[in-house]
mmCIF file with all atom_site columns, all heavy atoms in Angstrom:
data_model
loop_
_atom_site.group_PDB
_atom_site.id
_atom_site.type_symbol
_atom_site.label_atom_id
_atom_site.label_alt_id
_atom_site.label_comp_id
_atom_site.label_asym_id
_atom_site.label_entity_id
_atom_site.label_seq_id
_atom_site.pdbx_PDB_ins_code
_atom_site.Cartn_x
_atom_site.Cartn_y
_atom_site.Cartn_z
_atom_site.occupancy
_atom_site.B_iso_or_equiv
_atom_site.pdbx_formal_charge
_atom_site.auth_seq_id
_atom_site.auth_comp_id
_atom_site.auth_asym_id
_atom_site.auth_atom_id
_atom_site.pdbx_PDB_model_num
ATOM 1   N N   . ARG A 1 30  ? -2.415  -58.094 64.250 1.00 0.00 ? 30  ARG A N   1
ATOM 2   C CA  . ARG A 1 30  ? -2.935  -58.518 65.539 1.00 0.00 ? 30  ARG A CA  1
ATOM 3   C C   . ARG A 1 30  ? -2.158  -59.830 66.117 1.00 0.00 ? 30  ARG A C   1
ATOM 4   O O   . ARG A 1 30  ? -2.095  -59.939 67.281 1.00 0.00 ? 30  ARG A O   1
ATOM 5   C CB  . ARG A 1 30  ? -4.400  -58.990 65.387 1.00 0.00 ? 30  ARG A CB  1
ATOM 6   C CG  . ARG A 1 30  ? -5.269  -57.827 65.233 1.00 0.00 ? 30  ARG A CG  1
ATOM 7   C CD  . ARG A 1 30  ? -6.895  -58.210 65.403 1.00 0.00 ? 30  ARG A CD  1
ATOM 8   N NE  . ARG A 1 30  ? -7.682  -57.205 64.970 1.00 0.00 ? 30  ARG A NE  1
ATOM 9   C CZ  . ARG A 1 30  ? -8.311  -57.104 63.779 1.00 0.00 ? 30  ARG A CZ  1
ATOM 10  N NH1 . ARG A 1 30  ? -8.135  -58.047 62.836 1.00 0.00 ? 30  ARG A NH1 1
ATOM 11  N NH2 . ARG A 1 30  ? -9.126  -56.105 63.488 1.00 0.00 ? 30  ARG A NH2 1
ATOM 12  N N   . ASP A 1 122 ? -1.756  -48.637 66.927 1.00 0.00 ? 122 ASP A N   1
ATOM 13  C CA  . ASP A 1 122 ? -0.845  -47.852 67.777 1.00 0.00 ? 122 ASP A CA  1
ATOM 14  C C   . ASP A 1 122 ? -1.337  -46.322 68.167 1.00 0.00 ? 122 ASP A C   1
ATOM 15  O O   . ASP A 1 122 ? -1.095  -45.944 69.185 1.00 0.00 ? 122 ASP A O   1
ATOM 16  C CB  . ASP A 1 122 ? 0.551   -47.796 67.138 1.00 0.00 ? 122 ASP A CB  1
ATOM 17  C CG  . ASP A 1 122 ? 1.661   -47.597 68.283 1.00 0.00 ? 122 ASP A CG  1
ATOM 18  O OD1 . ASP A 1 122 ? 1.448   -47.952 69.377 1.00 0.00 ? 122 ASP A OD1 1
ATOM 19  O OD2 . ASP A 1 122 ? 2.691   -47.073 67.837 1.00 0.00 ? 122 ASP A OD2 1
ATOM 20  N N   . VAL A 1 157 ? 26.921  -17.563 43.245 1.00 0.00 ? 157 VAL A N   1
ATOM 21  C CA  . VAL A 1 157 ? 27.570  -16.276 43.738 1.00 0.00 ? 157 VAL A CA  1
ATOM 22  C C   . VAL A 1 157 ? 28.541  -15.702 42.620 1.00 0.00 ? 157 VAL A C   1
ATOM 23  O O   . VAL A 1 157 ? 28.867  -16.545 41.665 1.00 0.00 ? 157 VAL A O   1
ATOM 24  C CB  . VAL A 1 157 ? 28.411  -16.565 44.988 1.00 0.00 ? 157 VAL A CB  1
ATOM 25  C CG1 . VAL A 1 157 ? 27.543  -16.753 46.225 1.00 0.00 ? 157 VAL A CG1 1
ATOM 26  C CG2 . VAL A 1 157 ? 29.401  -17.554 44.900 1.00 0.00 ? 157 VAL A CG2 1
ATOM 27  N N   . ILE A 1 161 ? 37.818  -11.764 38.204 1.00 0.00 ? 161 ILE A N   1
ATOM 28  C CA  . ILE A 1 161 ? 38.671  -12.263 37.231 1.00 0.00 ? 161 ILE A CA  1
ATOM 29  C C   . ILE A 1 161 ? 39.759  -13.119 37.765 1.00 0.00 ? 161 ILE A C   1
ATOM 30  O O   . ILE A 1 161 ? 40.042  -14.189 37.310 1.00 0.00 ? 161 ILE A O   1
ATOM 31  C CB  . ILE A 1 161 ? 39.438  -11.113 36.444 1.00 0.00 ? 161 ILE A CB  1
ATOM 32  C CG1 . ILE A 1 161 ? 38.357  -10.251 35.577 1.00 0.00 ? 161 ILE A CG1 1
ATOM 33  C CG2 . ILE A 1 161 ? 40.468  -11.750 35.558 1.00 0.00 ? 161 ILE A CG2 1
ATOM 34  C CD1 . ILE A 1 161 ? 38.857  -9.091  34.960 1.00 0.00 ? 161 ILE A CD1 1
ATOM 35  N N   . PHE A 1 168 ? 28.185  -23.386 49.272 1.00 0.00 ? 168 PHE A N   1
ATOM 36  C CA  . PHE A 1 168 ? 27.612  -24.581 49.321 1.00 0.00 ? 168 PHE A CA  1
ATOM 37  C C   . PHE A 1 168 ? 27.115  -24.870 50.718 1.00 0.00 ? 168 PHE A C   1
ATOM 38  O O   . PHE A 1 168 ? 27.337  -24.060 51.641 1.00 0.00 ? 168 PHE A O   1
ATOM 39  C CB  . PHE A 1 168 ? 28.588  -25.696 48.889 1.00 0.00 ? 168 PHE A CB  1
ATOM 40  C CG  . PHE A 1 168 ? 29.787  -25.772 49.680 1.00 0.00 ? 168 PHE A CG  1
ATOM 41  C CD1 . PHE A 1 168 ? 30.052  -26.569 50.731 1.00 0.00 ? 168 PHE A CD1 1
ATOM 42  C CD2 . PHE A 1 168 ? 30.862  -24.896 49.326 1.00 0.00 ? 168 PHE A CD2 1
ATOM 43  C CE1 . PHE A 1 168 ? 31.187  -26.666 51.394 1.00 0.00 ? 168 PHE A CE1 1
ATOM 44  C CE2 . PHE A 1 168 ? 32.012  -25.056 50.031 1.00 0.00 ? 168 PHE A CE2 1
ATOM 45  C CZ  . PHE A 1 168 ? 32.269  -25.798 51.109 1.00 0.00 ? 168 PHE A CZ  1
ATOM 46  N N   . ILE A 1 187 ? 4.812   -37.543 60.569 1.00 0.00 ? 187 ILE A N   1
ATOM 47  C CA  . ILE A 1 187 ? 5.883   -36.484 61.188 1.00 0.00 ? 187 ILE A CA  1
ATOM 48  C C   . ILE A 1 187 ? 7.067   -37.174 61.688 1.00 0.00 ? 187 ILE A C   1
ATOM 49  O O   . ILE A 1 187 ? 8.196   -36.406 61.642 1.00 0.00 ? 187 ILE A O   1
ATOM 50  C CB  . ILE A 1 187 ? 5.071   -35.746 62.245 1.00 0.00 ? 187 ILE A CB  1
ATOM 51  C CG1 . ILE A 1 187 ? 3.858   -34.909 61.745 1.00 0.00 ? 187 ILE A CG1 1
ATOM 52  C CG2 . ILE A 1 187 ? 6.007   -34.688 62.998 1.00 0.00 ? 187 ILE A CG2 1
ATOM 53  C CD1 . ILE A 1 187 ? 3.131   -34.006 62.659 1.00 0.00 ? 187 ILE A CD1 1
ATOM 54  N N   . LEU A 1 204 ? 16.394  -40.079 68.074 1.00 0.00 ? 204 LEU A N   1
ATOM 55  C CA  . LEU A 1 204 ? 14.932  -39.975 67.968 1.00 0.00 ? 204 LEU A CA  1
ATOM 56  C C   . LEU A 1 204 ? 14.247  -40.377 69.257 1.00 0.00 ? 204 LEU A C   1
ATOM 57  O O   . LEU A 1 204 ? 14.349  -41.545 69.660 1.00 0.00 ? 204 LEU A O   1
ATOM 58  C CB  . LEU A 1 204 ? 14.381  -40.961 66.780 1.00 0.00 ? 204 LEU A CB  1
ATOM 59  C CG  . LEU A 1 204 ? 12.965  -41.268 66.789 1.00 0.00 ? 204 LEU A CG  1
ATOM 60  C CD1 . LEU A 1 204 ? 12.061  -39.947 66.595 1.00 0.00 ? 204 LEU A CD1 1
ATOM 61  C CD2 . LEU A 1 204 ? 12.624  -42.232 65.588 1.00 0.00 ? 204 LEU A CD2 1
ATOM 62  N N   . ALA A 1 214 ? 6.942   -45.907 65.409 1.00 0.00 ? 214 ALA A N   1
ATOM 63  C CA  . ALA A 1 214 ? 8.213   -45.226 65.234 1.00 0.00 ? 214 ALA A CA  1
ATOM 64  C C   . ALA A 1 214 ? 9.403   -46.253 65.067 1.00 0.00 ? 214 ALA A C   1
ATOM 65  O O   . ALA A 1 214 ? 10.296  -46.146 64.177 1.00 0.00 ? 214 ALA A O   1
ATOM 66  C CB  . ALA A 1 214 ? 8.506   -44.334 66.408 1.00 0.00 ? 214 ALA A CB  1
ATOM 67  N N   . ALA A 1 224 ? 16.864  -49.997 54.350 1.00 0.00 ? 224 ALA A N   1
ATOM 68  C CA  . ALA A 1 224 ? 17.093  -49.267 53.153 1.00 0.00 ? 224 ALA A CA  1
ATOM 69  C C   . ALA A 1 224 ? 18.661  -48.855 53.150 1.00 0.00 ? 224 ALA A C   1
ATOM 70  O O   . ALA A 1 224 ? 19.101  -48.288 52.083 1.00 0.00 ? 224 ALA A O   1
ATOM 71  C CB  . ALA A 1 224 ? 16.316  -47.813 53.283 1.00 0.00 ? 224 ALA A CB  1
ATOM 72  N N   . THR A 1 262 ? 5.724   -27.128 75.947 1.00 0.00 ? 262 THR A N   1
ATOM 73  C CA  . THR A 1 262 ? 6.884   -27.977 75.705 1.00 0.00 ? 262 THR A CA  1
ATOM 74  C C   . THR A 1 262 ? 7.884   -27.202 74.856 1.00 0.00 ? 262 THR A C   1
ATOM 75  O O   . THR A 1 262 ? 9.020   -27.087 75.000 1.00 0.00 ? 262 THR A O   1
ATOM 76  C CB  . THR A 1 262 ? 6.746   -29.333 75.372 1.00 0.00 ? 262 THR A CB  1
ATOM 77  O OG1 . THR A 1 262 ? 5.835   -30.075 76.338 1.00 0.00 ? 262 THR A OG1 1
ATOM 78  C CG2 . THR A 1 262 ? 7.917   -30.109 75.276 1.00 0.00 ? 262 THR A CG2 1
ATOM 79  N N   . PHE A 1 267 ? 12.781  -24.056 73.691 1.00 0.00 ? 267 PHE A N   1
ATOM 80  C CA  . PHE A 1 267 ? 13.389  -22.943 73.097 1.00 0.00 ? 267 PHE A CA  1
ATOM 81  C C   . PHE A 1 267 ? 14.222  -22.262 74.162 1.00 0.00 ? 267 PHE A C   1
ATOM 82  O O   . PHE A 1 267 ? 15.324  -21.732 73.954 1.00 0.00 ? 267 PHE A O   1
ATOM 83  C CB  . PHE A 1 267 ? 12.303  -22.043 72.687 1.00 0.00 ? 267 PHE A CB  1
ATOM 84  C CG  . PHE A 1 267 ? 12.577  -21.252 71.483 1.00 0.00 ? 267 PHE A CG  1
ATOM 85  C CD1 . PHE A 1 267 ? 12.339  -21.756 70.137 1.00 0.00 ? 267 PHE A CD1 1
ATOM 86  C CD2 . PHE A 1 267 ? 13.216  -19.860 71.415 1.00 0.00 ? 267 PHE A CD2 1
ATOM 87  C CE1 . PHE A 1 267 ? 12.754  -21.064 69.104 1.00 0.00 ? 267 PHE A CE1 1
ATOM 88  C CE2 . PHE A 1 267 ? 13.488  -19.176 70.443 1.00 0.00 ? 267 PHE A CE2 1
ATOM 89  C CZ  . PHE A 1 267 ? 13.228  -19.751 69.085 1.00 0.00 ? 267 PHE A CZ  1
ATOM 90  N N   . ALA A 1 285 ? 10.486  -25.638 65.595 1.00 0.00 ? 285 ALA A N   1
ATOM 91  C CA  . ALA A 1 285 ? 9.283   -26.052 66.568 1.00 0.00 ? 285 ALA A CA  1
ATOM 92  C C   . ALA A 1 285 ? 7.924   -25.809 65.844 1.00 0.00 ? 285 ALA A C   1
ATOM 93  O O   . ALA A 1 285 ? 7.816   -24.740 65.326 1.00 0.00 ? 285 ALA A O   1
ATOM 94  C CB  . ALA A 1 285 ? 9.436   -25.257 67.829 1.00 0.00 ? 285 ALA A CB  1
ATOM 95  N N   . SER A 1 307 ? -16.823 -28.163 55.158 1.00 0.00 ? 307 SER A N   1
ATOM 96  C CA  . SER A 1 307 ? -15.402 -27.843 55.586 1.00 0.00 ? 307 SER A CA  1
ATOM 97  C C   . SER A 1 307 ? -15.236 -27.625 56.950 1.00 0.00 ? 307 SER A C   1
ATOM 98  O O   . SER A 1 307 ? -14.122 -28.111 57.590 1.00 0.00 ? 307 SER A O   1
ATOM 99  C CB  . SER A 1 307 ? -15.125 -26.439 54.753 1.00 0.00 ? 307 SER A CB  1
ATOM 100 O OG  . SER A 1 307 ? -15.232 -26.534 53.474 1.00 0.00 ? 307 SER A OG  1
ATOM 101 N N   . CYS A 1 320 ? -3.064  -30.338 65.004 1.00 0.00 ? 320 CYS A N   1
ATOM 102 C CA  . CYS A 1 320 ? -2.796  -28.933 65.277 1.00 0.00 ? 320 CYS A CA  1
ATOM 103 C C   . CYS A 1 320 ? -3.457  -27.991 64.155 1.00 0.00 ? 320 CYS A C   1
ATOM 104 O O   . CYS A 1 320 ? -3.710  -26.868 64.435 1.00 0.00 ? 320 CYS A O   1
ATOM 105 C CB  . CYS A 1 320 ? -1.330  -28.718 65.202 1.00 0.00 ? 320 CYS A CB  1
ATOM 106 S SG  . CYS A 1 320 ? -0.437  -29.298 63.939 1.00 0.00 ? 320 CYS A SG  1
ATOM 107 N N   . SER A 1 324 ? -11.196 -25.483 65.233 1.00 0.00 ? 324 SER A N   1
ATOM 108 C CA  . SER A 1 324 ? -11.905 -25.524 66.532 1.00 0.00 ? 324 SER A CA  1
ATOM 109 C C   . SER A 1 324 ? -12.773 -24.172 66.690 1.00 0.00 ? 324 SER A C   1
ATOM 110 O O   . SER A 1 324 ? -13.349 -24.118 67.771 1.00 0.00 ? 324 SER A O   1
ATOM 111 C CB  . SER A 1 324 ? -10.804 -25.602 67.567 1.00 0.00 ? 324 SER A CB  1
ATOM 112 O OG  . SER A 1 324 ? -9.979  -24.501 67.599 1.00 0.00 ? 324 SER A OG  1
ATOM 113 N N   . ILE A 1 343 ? -24.636 -32.618 59.103 1.00 0.00 ? 343 ILE A N   1
ATOM 114 C CA  . ILE A 1 343 ? -23.496 -33.487 58.679 1.00 0.00 ? 343 ILE A CA  1
ATOM 115 C C   . ILE A 1 343 ? -22.887 -34.204 59.888 1.00 0.00 ? 343 ILE A C   1
ATOM 116 O O   . ILE A 1 343 ? -22.608 -35.438 59.743 1.00 0.00 ? 343 ILE A O   1
ATOM 117 C CB  . ILE A 1 343 ? -22.391 -32.716 58.063 1.00 0.00 ? 343 ILE A CB  1
ATOM 118 C CG1 . ILE A 1 343 ? -22.978 -31.968 56.761 1.00 0.00 ? 343 ILE A CG1 1
ATOM 119 C CG2 . ILE A 1 343 ? -21.089 -33.466 57.628 1.00 0.00 ? 343 ILE A CG2 1
ATOM 120 C CD1 . ILE A 1 343 ? -22.052 -30.896 56.123 1.00 0.00 ? 343 ILE A CD1 1
ATOM 121 N N   . LEU A 1 347 ? -21.650 -38.915 61.138 1.00 0.00 ? 347 LEU A N   1
ATOM 122 C CA  . LEU A 1 347 ? -20.435 -39.370 61.360 1.00 0.00 ? 347 LEU A CA  1
ATOM 123 C C   . LEU A 1 347 ? -20.447 -40.626 62.181 1.00 0.00 ? 347 LEU A C   1
ATOM 124 O O   . LEU A 1 347 ? -21.155 -40.576 63.223 1.00 0.00 ? 347 LEU A O   1
ATOM 125 C CB  . LEU A 1 347 ? -19.639 -38.321 62.056 1.00 0.00 ? 347 LEU A CB  1
ATOM 126 C CG  . LEU A 1 347 ? -19.350 -37.017 61.286 1.00 0.00 ? 347 LEU A CG  1
ATOM 127 C CD1 . LEU A 1 347 ? -18.522 -36.091 62.102 1.00 0.00 ? 347 LEU A CD1 1
ATOM 128 C CD2 . LEU A 1 347 ? -18.893 -37.089 59.876 1.00 0.00 ? 347 LEU A CD2 1
ATOM 129 N N   . MET A 1 359 ? -14.796 -41.638 62.834 1.00 0.00 ? 359 MET A N   1
ATOM 130 C CA  . MET A 1 359 ? -13.942 -41.163 64.049 1.00 0.00 ? 359 MET A CA  1
ATOM 131 C C   . MET A 1 359 ? -13.706 -42.278 65.041 1.00 0.00 ? 359 MET A C   1
ATOM 132 O O   . MET A 1 359 ? -14.678 -43.175 65.186 1.00 0.00 ? 359 MET A O   1
ATOM 133 C CB  . MET A 1 359 ? -14.855 -40.129 64.894 1.00 0.00 ? 359 MET A CB  1
ATOM 134 C CG  . MET A 1 359 ? -14.681 -38.641 64.365 1.00 0.00 ? 359 MET A CG  1
ATOM 135 S SD  . MET A 1 359 ? -15.813 -37.590 65.284 1.00 0.00 ? 359 MET A SD  1
ATOM 136 C CE  . MET A 1 359 ? -15.314 -37.667 66.897 1.00 0.00 ? 359 MET A CE  1
ATOM 137 N N   . ALA A 1 366 ? -5.565  -38.981 79.778 1.00 0.00 ? 366 ALA A N   1
ATOM 138 C CA  . ALA A 1 366 ? -5.325  -37.576 80.065 1.00 0.00 ? 366 ALA A CA  1
ATOM 139 C C   . ALA A 1 366 ? -6.052  -36.730 79.113 1.00 0.00 ? 366 ALA A C   1
ATOM 140 O O   . ALA A 1 366 ? -6.621  -35.689 79.406 1.00 0.00 ? 366 ALA A O   1
ATOM 141 C CB  . ALA A 1 366 ? -3.780  -37.242 80.162 1.00 0.00 ? 366 ALA A CB  1
ATOM 142 N N   . GLU A 1 416 ? -6.155  -24.256 73.180 1.00 0.00 ? 416 GLU A N   1
ATOM 143 C CA  . GLU A 1 416 ? -6.154  -25.422 72.243 1.00 0.00 ? 416 GLU A CA  1
ATOM 144 C C   . GLU A 1 416 ? -6.701  -26.661 72.993 1.00 0.00 ? 416 GLU A C   1
ATOM 145 O O   . GLU A 1 416 ? -6.158  -27.000 74.066 1.00 0.00 ? 416 GLU A O   1
ATOM 146 C CB  . GLU A 1 416 ? -4.577  -25.735 71.907 1.00 0.00 ? 416 GLU A CB  1
ATOM 147 C CG  . GLU A 1 416 ? -4.657  -26.840 70.770 1.00 0.00 ? 416 GLU A CG  1
ATOM 148 C CD  . GLU A 1 416 ? -3.168  -27.042 70.296 1.00 0.00 ? 416 GLU A CD  1
ATOM 149 O OE1 . GLU A 1 416 ? -2.268  -26.920 71.034 1.00 0.00 ? 416 GLU A OE1 1
ATOM 150 O OE2 . GLU A 1 416 ? -3.060  -27.419 69.115 1.00 0.00 ? 416 GLU A OE2 1
ATOM 151 N N   . ASN A 1 452 ? -16.616 -13.770 47.355 1.00 0.00 ? 452 ASN A N   1
ATOM 152 C CA  . ASN A 1 452 ? -16.302 -12.391 47.215 1.00 0.00 ? 452 ASN A CA  1
ATOM 153 C C   . ASN A 1 452 ? -14.809 -12.186 47.054 1.00 0.00 ? 452 ASN A C   1
ATOM 154 O O   . ASN A 1 452 ? -14.007 -12.397 48.007 1.00 0.00 ? 452 ASN A O   1
ATOM 155 C CB  . ASN A 1 452 ? -16.806 -11.600 48.514 1.00 0.00 ? 452 ASN A CB  1
ATOM 156 C CG  . ASN A 1 452 ? -16.545 -10.104 48.293 1.00 0.00 ? 452 ASN A CG  1
ATOM 157 O OD1 . ASN A 1 452 ? -15.492 -9.659  47.851 1.00 0.00 ? 452 ASN A OD1 1
ATOM 158 N ND2 . ASN A 1 452 ? -17.548 -9.276  48.845 1.00 0.00 ? 452 ASN A ND2 1
ATOM 159 N N   . ARG A 1 458 ? -8.343  -9.609  50.449 1.00 0.00 ? 458 ARG A N   1
ATOM 160 C CA  . ARG A 1 458 ? -8.023  -9.056  51.990 1.00 0.00 ? 458 ARG A CA  1
ATOM 161 C C   . ARG A 1 458 ? -7.431  -10.104 52.931 1.00 0.00 ? 458 ARG A C   1
ATOM 162 O O   . ARG A 1 458 ? -6.501  -9.837  53.617 1.00 0.00 ? 458 ARG A O   1
ATOM 163 C CB  . ARG A 1 458 ? -9.299  -8.415  52.358 1.00 0.00 ? 458 ARG A CB  1
ATOM 164 C CG  . ARG A 1 458 ? -9.391  -7.990  53.823 1.00 0.00 ? 458 ARG A CG  1
ATOM 165 C CD  . ARG A 1 458 ? -8.990  -6.468  54.093 1.00 0.00 ? 458 ARG A CD  1
ATOM 166 N NE  . ARG A 1 458 ? -8.762  -6.282  55.445 1.00 0.00 ? 458 ARG A NE  1
ATOM 167 C CZ  . ARG A 1 458 ? -9.871  -5.946  56.191 1.00 0.00 ? 458 ARG A CZ  1
ATOM 168 N NH1 . ARG A 1 458 ? -11.074 -5.871  55.787 1.00 0.00 ? 458 ARG A NH1 1
ATOM 169 N NH2 . ARG A 1 458 ? -9.646  -5.670  57.474 1.00 0.00 ? 458 ARG A NH2 1
ATOM 170 N N   . VAL A 1 511 ? 33.668  -20.676 49.983 1.00 0.00 ? 511 VAL A N   1
ATOM 171 C CA  . VAL A 1 511 ? 35.119  -20.934 49.687 1.00 0.00 ? 511 VAL A CA  1
ATOM 172 C C   . VAL A 1 511 ? 35.576  -20.062 48.560 1.00 0.00 ? 511 VAL A C   1
ATOM 173 O O   . VAL A 1 511 ? 35.088  -20.168 47.506 1.00 0.00 ? 511 VAL A O   1
ATOM 174 C CB  . VAL A 1 511 ? 35.397  -22.403 49.509 1.00 0.00 ? 511 VAL A CB  1
ATOM 175 C CG1 . VAL A 1 511 ? 36.970  -22.587 49.236 1.00 0.00 ? 511 VAL A CG1 1
ATOM 176 C CG2 . VAL A 1 511 ? 35.015  -23.234 50.631 1.00 0.00 ? 511 VAL A CG2 1
#
Side-chain angles (χ1 to χ4, degrees):
R30 285 190 196 103
D122 202 27
V157 290
I161 293 175
F168 60 97
I187 295 182
L204 167 62
T262 303
F267 217 85
S307 300
C320 51
S324 59
I343 297 173
L347 304 181
M359 277 177 57
E416 187 175 36
N452 183 318
R458 169 90 184 281
V511 175

